[in-house]
């Protein structure tokens, strides 16, 4: 009771303030009267009175600047105190601002005694012209305002019939009245009573806290899975080291007894201590008969690589950037999109590029989390072909990096927009290429795979692949790679079963295409869909085995082996028994989600700066320099620094663009001698579809079938595998 009495006056004041704000006049009178009868003090909230007085001062200053024609003071106050969301999004505010600019542009013509000062008049007209070319451009399609776009170019507006109403005596007072009403409305809305503020803040904070806790939970689960995998790897290495140590102790004891250690034995021990990538070259290039060689190599393998120091790029003013990306001219938008993309594509892999990407993501550069109808993402639907293309290039650059894909995949909004653009874009080949490239990289993430399959993207891919000779190499490779990734999911296979004859015809035609880069993806898609009995029956009916055997005669050794396993799959009599459906419920595995920045992202630039026009990094650092906030990040696990032996018969693939850049090709074939829980074909640079143990009967564990199960995580996916009983599989040609 004492606590209530202490704060009673303040609480009653809050109630009074709210009733006054909501214009409950009768209720307020009754409330005040009853408080007076009961002797309850009514305190006026200090915050409310302070806000009221400040608002009145701002309104008075704005009106004074309007009356005196002080353009600079007026628009400084306008931009400072009128929220940008209202200025940019409210049609009434935009119209009022347009007329206010006209008022200040013609002020000297209406209020000067005699001829106005030419220099000052030219300055005002120039200011109005700049407004028309920037913020005012949004109203250029409105009939009401269209005549005023000619105002800066008319020598004497006072006598021009189009501007007659501007110089009537009633025009300025009417505009002033509109301004006063607008300011009263705006500042009343901004003077939110404290009671309402407390209510909103409490509800919003609870909602934000729940969202934050949910995000933290998801991130913690992801980290725990990563740490579990690392723990399992460390445990395996530990057991390996214990085994090697025990053997070395036995060897020392044997040496004491007079038995000599052979170089071959020492070599076998050292090879077991090195990583897979170094084993083959080490076994053939190191002379272990020379004393100290083995220990020197072991110590060198643990030495950290010296990285060249690369300076971080300057921070940017992202609020201004996003504003100009939505409200600027099409040419400015294109140059900004180009410059932002170049920041990603030309930055040094590692800390510099990661810092750039993190700055983009933390400032929500693409407005992925915004619900505005005029966000940056809407540039994908711009009327300008250049803007559409450069937006697609930037999204493709984001999608080329694992963290970028994670940012874009927060909701399906980006995916839906890309799918729409892909199906609608028929004018610009490069725009479609970049949209397709982004979608292919999206297919590395299982939720987006599922969405693409549900949206019927497989049917669109099959349709364009019916005539592959009309497609560019980029479109062909990424289309086939995307189709393979979607076909690895059971939902994708079931989609293909609806048009089995067409899918099989398209894939069989692609087997003989002159672009050999697509062969692994065609083979992977074929093998995957042939696990469906109805598709196998359709394939047999169309003589698929004879078609495949024709390519055996013409193909290279690797192609021949792949086709042989496809034929085995074609002739198998396995039934699904509903097992495959479970792969859609597996968690996403991004352990090997690599970064691949393609050279194609910057090919065939459409725009070039004219004399004196800024572009690229110079444009960003001259016009959009922000506060220096860049800090270093821990480098994400990736391919950087990994050396791949050129002697390996088969390599890991990445996306088609990654393959062009020299990354090794991860083929889609592999097996595990142990017959443990398996994974099937690995999508191109993407998540591995998971296969259930029912597909891995022990009687088949040594058949050499590369599709029947998976390799241990540290092994390389390859085709076909050769392995010895009791050992982990290795890949080799015979």
């Amino acid at each position: 009771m004492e606590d209530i009495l202490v704060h009673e006056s303040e609480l009653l004041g809050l109630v009074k303030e709210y009733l006054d704000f909501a214009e409950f006049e009768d209720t307020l009178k009754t409330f005040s009267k009853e408080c007076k009868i009961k002797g309850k003090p009514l305190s006026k909230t200090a915050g409310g009175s302070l806000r009221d007085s400040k608002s009145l001062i701002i309104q008075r200053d704005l009106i004074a600047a309007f009356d005196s024609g002080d353009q600079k003071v007026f628009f400084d106050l306008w931009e400072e105190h009128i929220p940008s969301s209202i200025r940019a999004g409210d049609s009434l505010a935009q119209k009022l601002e347009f007329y206010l600019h006209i008022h200040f542009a013609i002020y000297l013509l209406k209020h000067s005694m005699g001829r106005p000062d030419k220099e000052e008049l030219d300055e005002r007209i120039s200011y109005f012209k700049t407004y028309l070319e920037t913020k005012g451009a949004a109203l250029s399609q409105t009939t009401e305002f269209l005549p005023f776009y000619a105002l800066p170019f008319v020598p004497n507006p006072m006598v021009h019939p189009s501007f007659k109403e501007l110089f009537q005596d009633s025009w300025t007072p009417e505009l002033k009245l509109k301004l006063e009403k607008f300011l009263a409305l705006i500042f009343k809305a901004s003077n939110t009573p404290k009671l309402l503020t407390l209510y909103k803040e409490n509800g919003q904070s609870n909602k934000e806290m729940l969202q934050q806790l949910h995000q933290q939970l998801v991130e913690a689960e992801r980290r725990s899975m990563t740490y579990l995998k690392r723990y399992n790897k460390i445990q395996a290495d530990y057991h390996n080291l214990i085994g090697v140590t025990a053997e070395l102790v036995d060897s020392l004891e044997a040496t004491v007894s007079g038995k000599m250690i052979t170089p071959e034995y020492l070599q076998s021990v050292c090879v077991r201590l090195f990583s897979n990538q170094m084993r083959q070259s080490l076994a053939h290039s190191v002379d272990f008969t020379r004393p100290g060689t083995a220990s020197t190599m072991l110590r060198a393998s643990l030495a950290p690589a010296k990285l060249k120091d690369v300076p971080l790029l300057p921070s940017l003013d992202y609020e201004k950037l996003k504003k100009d990306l939505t409200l600027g001219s099409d040419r400015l938008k294109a140059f900004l999109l180009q410059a932002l993309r170049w920041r990603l594509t030309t930055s040094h892999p590692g800390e510099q590029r990661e810092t750039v990407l993190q700055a983009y993501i933390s400032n929500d550069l693409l407005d992925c989390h915004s619900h505005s109808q005029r966000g940056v993402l809407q540039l994908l639907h711009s009327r300008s072909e250049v803007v559409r293309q450069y937006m697609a290039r930037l999204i493709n650059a984001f999608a080329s990096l694992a963290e970028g894909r994670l940012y874009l995949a927060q909701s399906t909004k980006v995916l839906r927009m890309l799918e729409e653009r892909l199906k609608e874009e028929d004018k610009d080949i490069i725009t479609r290429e970049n949209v397709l490239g982004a979608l292919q990289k999206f297919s590395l993430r299982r939720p987006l795979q599922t969405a693409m399959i549900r949206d019927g993207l497989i049917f669109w891919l099959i349709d364009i692949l019916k005539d592959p000779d009309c497609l560019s190499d980029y479109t062909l490779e990424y289309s086939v790679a995307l189709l393979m990734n979607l076909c690895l999911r059971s939902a994708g296979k079931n989609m293909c079963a609806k048009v089995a004859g067409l899918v099989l015809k398209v894939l069989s035609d692609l087997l003989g295409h002159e672009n050999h880069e697509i062969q692994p993806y065609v083979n992977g898609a074929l093998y995957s869909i042939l696990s469906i009995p109805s598709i196998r029956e359709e394939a047999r009916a169309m003589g698929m085995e004879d078609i495949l055997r024709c390519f055996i005669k013409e193909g290279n050794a690797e192609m021949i082996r792949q086709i042989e396993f496809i034929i085995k799959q074609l002739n198998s009599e396995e039934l699904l028994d509903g097992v495959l459906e479970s792969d859609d419920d597996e968690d996403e595995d991004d352990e090997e989600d690599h970064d691949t920045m393609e050279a194609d992202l910057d090919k065939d630039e459409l725009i070039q700066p004219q004399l004196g026009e800024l572009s690229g990094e110079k444009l960003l650092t001259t016009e959009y320099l922000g506060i220096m906030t860049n800090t270093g990040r821990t480098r994400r696990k990736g391919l950087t620094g990994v050396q791949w032996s050129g002697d390996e018969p088969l390599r890991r693939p990445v996306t088609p663009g990654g393959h062009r850049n020299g990354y090794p090709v991860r083929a889609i074939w592999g097996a595990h001698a142990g017959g443990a829980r398996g994974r099937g074909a690995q999508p191109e640079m993407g998540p591995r579809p998971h296969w259930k143990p029912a597909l891995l009967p022990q009687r088949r564990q040594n058949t050499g079938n590369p599709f029947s199960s998976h390799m241990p995580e540290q092994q390389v996916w390859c085709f076909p595998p050769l392995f010895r009983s009791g050992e982990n599989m290795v890949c080799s040609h015979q």
Side-chain angles (χ1 to χ4, degrees):
M1 191 66 181
E2 291 180 2
D3 291 340
I4 295 176
L5 293 173
V6 169
H7 301 289
E8 186 177 43
S9 175
E10 185 178 353
L11 289 171
L12 294 173
L14 292 176
V15 173
K16 180 185 176 184
E17 181 192 27
Y18 178 76
L19 292 174
D20 186 30
F21 172 81
E23 298 180 353
F24 289 103
E25 296 176 1
D26 294 339
T27 306
L28 180 59
K29 289 178 182 177
T30 304
F31 177 75
S32 301
K33 182 179 179 181
E34 190 170 353
C35 287
K36 187 176 181 181
I37 293 172
K38 293 185 176 182
K40 304 288 186 182
L42 276 174
S43 67
K44 183 173 177 64
T45 55
S49 59
L50 188 62
R51 285 195 301 270
D52 289 343
S53 60
K54 185 179 178 182
S55 298
L56 289 172
I57 292 171
I58 295 168
Q59 292 180 62
R60 189 167 60 245
D61 290 345
L62 280 165
I63 296 300
F66 176 89
D67 290 335
S68 64
D70 196 334
Q71 179 174 261
K72 185 178 186 309
V73 170
F74 181 89
F75 285 111
D76 284 346
L77 289 169
W78 180 267
E79 294 187 2
E80 181 180 356
H81 298 291
I82 306 300
S84 58
S85 58
I86 293 176
R87 286 187 280 117
D90 185 83
S91 59
L92 291 176
Q94 289 177 329
K95 290 180 180 180
L96 177 61
E97 186 174 359
F98 193 97
Y99 282 121
L100 287 169
H101 275 279
I102 294 176
H103 165 74
F104 287 106
I106 65 173
Y107 184 84
L108 293 180
L109 295 174
K110 296 185 69 173
H111 295 86
S112 295
M113 301 298 293
R115 293 179 63 85
D117 183 85
K118 188 177 185 304
E119 185 177 347
E120 187 178 353
L121 179 62
D122 289 344
E123 183 181 344
R124 287 173 178 265
I125 295 297
S126 176
Y127 188 86
F128 179 55
K129 185 179 178 183
T130 302
Y131 166 76
L132 292 178
E133 293 172 349
T134 53
K135 298 177 184 177
L139 297 172
S140 61
Q141 304 301 318
T142 307
T143 307
E144 178 184 353
F145 299 102
L146 196 57
F148 300 117
Y149 284 81
L151 180 62
F153 306 99
V154 175
N156 190 359
M158 297 180 70
V159 298
H160 197 283
S162 298
F163 310 123
K164 182 180 178 181
E165 63 169 321
L166 300 180
F167 295 94
Q168 293 178 357
D169 293 338
S170 61
W171 189 82
T172 301
E174 288 175 359
L175 179 62
K176 181 179 178 180
L177 183 61
K178 290 179 181 178
L179 175 63
E180 289 173 339
K181 289 181 178 179
F182 175 80
L183 293 176
L185 184 65
I186 290 296
F187 285 107
K188 180 181 179 181
S190 64
N191 292 336
T192 307
K194 190 174 181 181
L195 185 63
L196 184 58
T197 303
L198 290 171
Y199 173 77
K200 289 170 65 177
E201 286 179 352
N202 184 50
Q204 184 65 24
S205 63
N206 287 340
K207 184 178 178 182
E208 290 176 353
M209 184 178 294
L210 284 173
Q211 290 177 343
Q212 187 177 5
L213 289 173
H214 178 70
Q215 290 176 355
Q216 289 176 356
L217 177 61
V218 172
E219 180 65 18
E221 289 175 347
R222 188 189 66 79
R223 284 200 305 267
S224 67
M225 290 301 297
T226 301
Y227 294 147
L228 181 61
K229 291 176 182 178
R230 291 178 183 174
Y231 166 75
N232 291 335
K233 179 69 169 61
I234 292 171
Q235 189 178 48
D237 290 342
Y238 170 74
H239 290 159
N240 184 40
L241 285 173
I242 292 296
V244 172
T245 303
E247 289 188 23
L248 291 176
V249 171
D250 291 340
S251 301
L252 287 173
E253 291 177 350
T255 305
V256 173
S257 303
K259 295 180 181 179
M260 298 297 293
I261 297 175
T262 64
E264 290 76 18
Y265 171 76
L266 185 59
Q267 177 178 342
S268 68
V269 171
C270 289
V271 166
R272 288 169 59 190
L273 291 172
F274 283 104
S275 61
N276 292 337
Q277 289 80 15
M278 297 180 64
R279 288 179 183 173
Q280 189 171 359
S281 59
L282 183 66
H284 296 94
S285 62
V286 179
D287 181 10
F288 286 94
T289 61
R290 207 166 51 188
T293 299
S295 60
T296 301
M297 289 293 295
L298 285 170
R299 291 189 182 96
S301 70
L302 297 174
K306 292 183 179 179
L307 299 175
K308 181 181 178 182
D309 289 332
V310 178
L312 299 181
L313 295 173
S315 298
L316 303 176
D317 183 350
Y318 287 93
E319 185 177 347
K320 184 181 178 184
L321 262 171
K322 291 164 71 172
K323 182 178 178 181
D324 285 354
L325 280 171
T326 53
L327 301 177
S329 66
D330 286 341
R331 186 166 179 82
L332 176 60
K333 291 175 184 177
F335 273 120
L336 286 176
L337 292 170
Q338 181 190 61
L340 291 165
R341 166 168 47 89
W342 283 352
R343 261 212 166 198
L344 273 181
T345 58
T346 62
S347 57
H348 291 273
E351 186 179 16
Q352 189 184 70
R353 177 173 290 167
E354 289 168 6
T355 305
V356 170
L357 182 61
Q358 284 304 312
Y360 287 1
I361 293 172
S362 61
N363 288 282
D364 195 17
L365 177 64
L366 301 185
D367 284 335
C368 290
H369 304 301
S370 170
H371 299 291
S372 171
Q373 296 299 315
R374 302 185 64 181
V376 177
L377 270 178
Q378 300 302 320
L379 296 180
L380 266 179
H381 299 308
S382 170
R383 294 181 181 179
S384 166
E385 291 184 22
V386 180
V387 173
R388 287 201 309 271
Q389 181 189 126
Y390 277 37
M391 186 62 191
R393 289 183 188 236
L394 181 59
I395 291 177
N396 195 9
F398 266 82
S400 299
L401 304 171
E403 294 293 333
R405 287 191 290 279
L406 184 61
Y407 165 63
L408 295 172
Q410 295 297 316
S411 72
T412 57
K413 178 172 69 171
V414 183
L415 175 65
R416 300 282 184 255
M417 294 183 70
L418 288 173
E419 288 177 339
E420 291 174 13
R421 187 76 267 143
L422 182 68
K423 295 170 184 177
E424 295 173 4
E425 191 65 57
D426 54 0
K427 295 181 180 179
D428 192 325
I429 293 176
I430 295 180
T431 300
R432 189 171 73 169
E433 284 182 354
N434 280 277
V435 170
L436 185 61
L439 287 171
Q440 197 279 334
K441 292 156 193 170
F442 277 17
S443 71
L444 309 179
R445 308 194 66 82
R446 296 177 67 79
L448 297 182
Q449 280 181 350
T450 302
M452 283 188 265
I453 293 168
R454 288 175 180 168
D455 293 343
L457 196 57
I458 286 178
F459 299 138
W460 185 90
L461 291 169
I462 291 297
D463 187 58
I464 67 161
L465 288 172
K466 286 191 292 189
D467 193 4
D469 293 331
C470 295
L471 305 177
S472 65
D473 285 343
Y474 188 102
T475 301
L476 178 61
E477 291 170 26
Y478 276 79
S479 296
V480 180
L482 174 56
L483 177 63
M484 186 198 79
N485 286 0
L486 300 183
C487 286
L488 292 170
R489 299 290 298 279
S490 59
K493 298 172 193 175
N494 292 331
M495 275 296 182
C496 291
K498 296 178 181 179
V499 286
L502 180 59
V503 174
L504 290 168
K505 183 181 184 306
V506 168
L507 291 176
S508 60
D509 290 344
L510 289 173
L511 282 171
H513 197 274
E514 60 184 7
N515 187 339
H516 298 296
E517 300 292 340
I518 67 173
Q519 287 180 354
Y521 318 130
V522 176
N523 293 341
L526 261 178
Y527 186 90
S528 184
I529 65 173
L530 286 174
S531 63
I532 303 292
S534 61
I535 298 181
R536 287 203 299 269
E537 291 176 9
E538 183 73 25
R540 291 166 188 163
M542 65 182 287
M544 178 63 74
E545 183 171 352
D546 293 336
I547 297 172
L548 291 169
R549 292 198 181 280
C550 290
F551 291 107
I552 285 182
K553 298 175 183 177
E554 302 171 0
N556 55 36
E558 183 175 353
M559 178 74 166
I560 290 170
R561 278 194 296 275
Q562 292 176 10
I563 292 177
E564 286 174 349
F565 279 101
I566 295 172
I567 292 174
K568 288 182 182 179
Q569 176 81 311
L570 174 64
N571 292 325
S572 70
E573 297 297 334
E574 281 190 356
L575 297 177
L576 293 181
D577 296 330
V579 172
L580 280 175
E581 292 304 323
S582 60
D583 77 349
D584 291 338
D585 299 326
E586 296 289 349
D587 292 333
E588 186 168 355
D589 181 6
D590 283 329
E591 185 67 11
E592 296 183 0
D593 207 358
H594 297 144
D595 293 346
T596 305
M597 194 65 74
E598 314 146 8
D600 299 58
L601 290 168
D602 295 330
K603 74 175 184 180
D604 302 330
E605 297 287 357
L606 289 179
I607 57 172
Q608 298 295 333
Q610 298 174 357
L611 185 65
E613 199 172 23
L614 298 176
S615 67
E617 190 66 15
K618 192 169 184 180
L619 170 63
L620 296 178
T621 54
T622 302
E623 300 293 338
Y624 302 91
L625 195 63
I627 301 172
M628 186 62 71
T629 57
N630 284 334
T631 56
R633 293 181 68 241
T634 304
R635 294 188 55 173
R636 192 177 62 82
K637 177 182 175 183
L639 287 175
T640 308
V642 176
Q643 300 296 322
W644 296 86
S645 169
D647 298 328
E648 292 182 2
L650 296 163
R651 303 176 299 163
R652 295 174 172 238
V654 289
T655 61
H659 188 196
R660 287 200 203 102
N661 289 346
Y663 286 114
V665 177
R666 178 193 301 129
I668 49 178
W669 332 99
H672 184 331
R677 179 176 184 239
R679 285 180 176 143
Q682 168 73 16
E684 181 57 16
M685 196 187 144
R688 300 165 171 165
H690 301 290
W691 300 70
K692 290 295 182 180
L695 296 178
L696 309 173
Q698 291 293 326
R699 60 184 174 82
R700 296 180 56 199
Q701 66 179 16
N702 286 331
T703 63
N705 186 337
F707 310 95
S708 60
S709 65
H710 82 297
M711 290 176 56
E713 196 166 73
Q714 66 270 25
Q715 297 294 335
V716 178
W717 290 88
C718 58
F719 176 92
L722 298 174
F723 49 85
R724 295 187 295 274
S725 177
E727 296 183 358
N728 282 341
M729 184 197 75
V730 295
C731 302
S732 62
H733 284 296
Q734 277 194 344

